[in-house]
């Protein structure tokens, strides 16, 4: 094995070749077909003024969102506990380094209690997908309006 000093000495003994390429730069505007000049750094580009563009979307009417009482949320968590644990076991089989953690399952319900959105804050795609699928089958009561529920799950 060569030491660092020996390697540097051998590299220093190698001949050094430098390749020099001629470089030409021209800012001359060449006429295109029809004699019209192309835009370049020599001639400023002429811009046509346009009308005012609205940057923000129009204000959407606010929708009242309700939350479910804590006892209802706990009842739903108990109803899905076995399925949640199956999701955790499946995720651990796929990713053995997955450690115990707290996952927030965010669920949005329509007025009839049907889940319209379910997502988690988990880093595991397997766990997130499984928990979202379970959330769509949970027995939520009809809140009568759009509702948001955050289910804290500990694994």
């Amino acid at each position: 094995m060569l030491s660092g000093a020996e390697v540097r000495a051998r590299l220093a003994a190698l001949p050094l070749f430098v390749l020099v390429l001629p470089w030409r730069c021209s800012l001359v505007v060449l006429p295109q077909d029809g004699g019209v000049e192309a835009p370049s750094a020599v001639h400023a580009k002429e811009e046509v003024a346009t009308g005012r563009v609205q940057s923000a979307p129009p204000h959407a009417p606010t929708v009242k969102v309700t939350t479910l009482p804590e006892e209802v949320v706990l009842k739903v968590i108990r109803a899905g506990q076995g399925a949640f644990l199956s999701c955790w076991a499946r995720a651990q089989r796929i990713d053995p380094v997955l450690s115990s953690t707290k996952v927030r399952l965010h669920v949005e319900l329509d007025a009839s209690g049907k889940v319209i959105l379910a997502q988690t804050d988990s880093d595991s795609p397997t766990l997130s997908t499984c928990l979202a699928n379970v959330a769509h089958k949970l027995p939520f009561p009809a809140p009568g309006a759009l509702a948001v529920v955050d289910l804290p799950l500990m694994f």
Side-chain angles (χ1 to χ4, degrees):
M1 177 85 22
L2 298 175
S3 70
E6 292 172 331
V7 171
R8 282 191 292 278
R10 286 189 181 187
L11 287 175
L14 292 175
L16 181 64
F17 295 99
V18 177
L19 179 62
V20 178
L21 297 175
W23 181 264
R24 290 180 45 195
C25 180
S26 174
L27 294 177
V28 177
V29 178
L30 301 175
Q32 294 181 347
D33 294 334
V36 179
E37 292 183 357
S40 74
V42 174
H43 301 290
K45 178 182 173 185
E46 293 182 27
E47 295 186 14
V48 179
T50 59
R52 183 175 210 155
V53 177
Q54 185 176 358
S55 61
H59 180 69
T62 56
V63 177
K64 185 180 178 194
V65 178
T66 62
T67 58
L68 296 179
E70 189 173 325
E71 59 273 0
V72 173
V73 173
L74 291 174
K75 185 177 178 181
V76 171
I77 290 175
R78 271 187 247 117
Q81 185 175 8
F84 293 144
L85 291 173
S86 294
C87 288
W88 177 253
R90 181 179 303 134
Q92 278 192 317
R93 280 193 306 270
I94 292 173
D95 186 8
V97 296
L98 195 61
S99 62
S100 60
T101 185
K102 181 178 180 181
V103 177
R104 183 181 63 91
L105 176 60
H106 177 81
V107 179
E108 294 181 11
L109 308 168
D110 65 5
S112 66
K114 180 181 176 192
V115 176
I116 55 176
L117 174 73
Q119 59 190 19
T120 70
D121 60 356
S122 173
D123 293 334
S124 169
T126 304
L127 182 60
S128 290
T129 303
C130 186
L131 292 176
N133 290 336
V134 168
H136 283 280
K137 298 173 187 167
L138 290 175
F140 287 101
L146 292 178
V148 175
V149 180
D150 287 319
L151 303 174
L153 305 173
M154 298 288 286
F155 298 104

